[in-house]
Amino acid sequence: PFTLDKEVPEIVSVLNSTGIVNGVNFTGKAKDIGTGIEYVEYSIVSVDDLNKKSEIVWHKANVKNVSRIDADFYVKEKTNLSDGQYQIAVRAVDFAGNVSEKKYLLISVDTTAPNVGSVAVYNSGVVLDSVDNVWNISVGVPLDMVVSLEKNAVSAYTEYEGIKTNLVYDKATGLWKNKIMFETEGTKNVSINV
């Protein structure tokens, strides 16, 4: 028997996921009521290059849970993308060669850690003087540490004597803060991790 398939497949959904650094991570669903989904493919183009007439390179997505009509797909791959914004286009192809309309995702790649600006240490609201970010402080005294970070910082913590303490962003001041206290005498190193 000969079957003529004029039904165009459809990308039903594309969802951006997290959990991969320097890469792409997304899932989705495709459907075709004709011959069924043969494969799903995606392309990645820098937003800066969208208007250029360069050839688009298509990559095959991983397809799973394929039925006669539906297919789930996913992509979780490391890339060598430079910092910037990228458009991901996704399309499905059925066994008759029909190609779906594209669905799009916009992703941002940011591999540059935020810079640490100034650091201040306060005792009961009074700023402690430092020389080259070295402070003389007393053992057992709780202190407030205040740090300025670039606006693209999303999390930060201090680490000293094996203790990690989250810095908390204060929306009112735009600064990151936490409390520190040393239990023993001596020279201590406090690292700020962003």
Side-chain angles (χ1 to χ4, degrees):
F2 178 74
T3 304
L4 181 59
D5 179 2
K6 292 185 178 181
E7 296 294 330
V8 176
E10 176 186 4
I11 297 292
V12 178
S13 65
V14 180
L15 302 170
N16 198 10
S17 302
T18 58
I20 189 166
V21 177
N22 283 349
V24 292
N25 188 8
F26 61 90
T27 61
K29 291 189 175 292
K31 141 178 131 171
D32 182 63
I33 59 173
T35 55
I37 301 295
E38 181 176 9
Y39 58 91
V40 175
E41 57 187 4
Y42 68 98
S43 67
I44 304 173
V45 177
S46 168
V47 169
D48 295 336
D49 295 337
L50 285 177
N51 295 325
K52 294 181 179 175
K53 302 285 186 207
S54 57
E55 183 178 339
I56 295 175
V57 177
W58 291 93
H59 310 275
K60 292 230 172 123
N62 300 297
V63 178
K64 61 181 183 174
N65 300 332
V66 179
S67 71
R68 170 91 172 95
I69 296 174
D70 299 313
D72 295 335
F73 62 88
Y74 68 96
V75 171
K76 184 173 186 176
E77 294 187 24
K78 290 214 176 255
T79 64
N80 292 320
L81 299 174
S82 6
D83 287 3
Q85 288 201 319
Y86 294 85
Q87 181 185 70
I88 298 175
V90 182
R91 67 185 184 186
V93 179
D94 68 15
F95 283 98
N98 298 314
V99 180
S100 73
E101 296 278 326
K102 294 177 239 166
K103 291 261 182 164
Y104 297 96
L105 282 176
L106 190 63
I107 63 167
S108 294
V109 175
D110 180 4
T111 60
T112 306
N115 287 323
V116 175
S118 62
V119 177
V121 177
Y122 294 84
N123 182 357
S124 300
V126 177
V127 69
L128 301 179
D129 292 328
S130 74
V131 176
D132 295 325
N133 283 334
V134 175
W135 291 268
N136 289 317
I137 58 175
S138 300
V139 171
V141 175
L143 303 169
D144 294 306
M145 179 174 270
V146 179
V147 181
S148 68
L149 300 174
E150 288 182 328
K151 294 189 185 313
N152 63 341
V154 293
S155 67
Y157 64 91
T158 57
E159 186 171 7
Y160 61 94
E161 295 183 336
I163 301 168
K164 289 183 181 181
T165 307
N166 287 331
L167 284 156
V168 178
Y169 181 69
D170 182 345
K171 289 181 183 178
T173 63
L175 299 172
W176 294 75
K177 302 177 180 182
N178 76 356
K179 297 214 177 276
I180 60 172
M181 182 170 69
F182 297 100
E183 300 291 339
T184 58
E185 291 185 16
T187 301
K188 312 292 182 183
N189 292 317
V190 177
S191 65
I192 299 170
N193 302 280
V194 184

